[in-house]
Amino acid sequence: MAIERTLSIIKPDAVAKNVIGQIYTRFENAGLKIIASRMAHLSRLEAEQFYAVHKERPFFKDLVDFMVSGPVVIQVLEGENAILKNRELMGATDPKKADAGTIRADFADSIDANAVHGSDAAETAAVEIAFFFAGLNVYSR
Ligand code: UDP
C-alpha cells in the first residue's frame, strides 16, 4: 500500500474544546505520523483562498467566519493510505451522520463547526500541504 501525505486541520471549535491532544492520539493510534505541525489564527484571505473551491456555495461566508473565529492547528499526516485513513477517522461532514467513534461524532457540534478538515484526494492533499507548509520543514521518518 502506498505511503501518502495528507493535510489535516483541527478547526477553531475543537481547539476551543481543548481536544487537540485527543485528536492527535487518534492519528497516532491509527498509524499516522505527524510530520509537520503549526498553530495559526487564519486571516480572512487565507481562509477564503483555502476554501476557494466552495466560494459559490451558500455556506461560504459562514465557513470563512468560522475558520477565522479562533486559532487552528494544522498538520501533515503521513502513513499508509493516509488520505482515506484520515477521512475515516474524521467521519462524515455532518456529525449527525458520522459513524460512532469518529472525531466528528465525538467532538463536532454541527455541519458548520465540525472539528476537523482533511484532504479528500492526492491532488488536493499536495495543493493543501503546499498552501500551509511551503518553505517549511516536514519531518518524514
Ligand atoms: N460546510 C458547511 N455547510 C455545508 C457543507 C459544508 O458549513 O452544508 C463546511 C463544513 O465545515 C465542511 C466544509 O464546509 O467541513 C467543506 O465542505 P466539504 O463538503 O469539503 O466537507 P469535508 O471535506 O470537510 O467533509
Side-chain angles (χ1 to χ4, degrees):
M1 213 176 282
I3 300 291
E4 294 176 336
R5 292 178 178 183
T6 191
L7 191 280
S8 161
I9 303 176
I10 301 179
K11 294 184 178 182
D13 58 323
V15 173
K17 281 184 182 164
N18 207 24
V19 293
I20 297 166
Q22 291 187 60
I23 293 173
Y24 269 25
T25 296
R26 291 179 184 219
F27 297 150
E28 292 177 345
N29 286 346
L32 295 173
K33 292 179 180 174
I34 297 155
I35 62 165
S37 174
R38 56 183 279 242
M39 196 164 199
H41 195 143
L42 302 183
S43 67
R44 278 202 89 75
L45 183 62
E46 282 176 309
E48 286 170 359
Q49 287 175 339
F50 183 75
Y51 278 118
V53 65
H54 293 308
K55 66 176 183 297
E56 304 303 334
R57 308 283 287 278
F59 58 81
F60 182 68
K61 182 179 177 301
D62 288 344
L63 174 59
V64 171
D65 287 345
F66 168 64
M67 290 301 290
V68 303
S69 67
V72 297
V73 182
I74 313 161
Q75 44 283 326
V76 180
L77 306 177
E78 184 178 74
E80 280 186 6
N81 225 5
I83 297 166
L84 183 62
K85 197 177 273 184
N86 182 44
R87 297 288 304 188
E88 287 172 354
L89 291 175
M90 290 165 57
T93 308
D94 181 352
K96 290 197 283 296
K97 297 179 183 155
D99 288 344
T102 60
I103 293 168
R104 282 167 166 167
D106 290 344
F107 300 124
D109 294 327
S110 67
I111 194 167
D112 320 84
N114 64 0
V116 279
H117 166 85
S119 308
D120 61 3
E123 300 72 30
T124 42
V127 170
E128 291 177 359
I129 290 168
F131 186 87
F132 284 117
F133 290 95
L136 300 176
N137 289 336
V138 299
Y139 298 93
S140 194
R141 58 194 194 276

